[in-house]
Amino acid sequence: MPIKSIDKDKIQLFYRDDCPDCKKIFKQIYLHNLIKQDIQFINLKQINNRHYIDEYNIHTVPTFIYKNRAYAGTNTAHLNKFLTGE
């Protein structure tokens, strides 16, 4: 689904639904978001979302961005720290 606008109060998750690394962390992210509801999912496979690649300088997926912080990767410990703001 195309994203109409970025919600700056949420963590942006840039992913592709055909990405094996994205699938690897999806359960952790889904459970976190089920409780916190603070993640905006942006599927870069959608043509209408691809402009975010240049806009946010995305080089790999999954990439998480929140305000002035970013994390790209699947390390669950690093990801958990990013999601909890540590």
Side-chain angles (χ1 to χ4, degrees):
M1 171 193 299
I3 300 297
K4 300 223 183 306
S5 66
I6 295 292
D7 184 343
K8 298 291 186 185
D9 292 327
K10 291 191 174 191
I11 298 166
Q12 285 79 50
L13 165 56
F14 296 94
Y15 74 100
R16 285 181 58 101
D17 57 20
D18 59 351
C19 160
D21 285 340
C22 299
K23 289 176 184 176
K24 213 182 295 183
I25 59 159
F26 186 79
K27 185 177 178 182
Q28 178 186 1
I29 301 308
Y30 181 80
L31 292 174
H32 169 92
N33 198 54
L34 203 58
I35 296 163
K36 299 272 191 172
Q37 298 183 350
D38 62 351
I39 298 176
Q40 183 176 25
F41 293 83
I42 303 158
N43 186 351
L44 296 178
K45 191 173 176 189
Q46 291 284 330
I47 291 172
N48 292 335
N49 290 340
R50 290 201 181 145
H51 65 96
Y52 293 119
I53 295 170
D54 290 332
E55 195 174 321
Y56 285 85
N57 202 21
I58 307 294
H59 296 288
T60 186
V61 290
T63 293
F64 298 82
I65 296 178
Y66 182 65
K67 300 192 179 192
N68 64 343
R69 301 176 0 183
Y71 173 70
T74 60
N75 180 298
T76 53
H78 291 302
L79 183 51
N80 195 43
K81 284 183 178 182
F82 184 87
L83 294 174
T84 58
E86 293 179 26

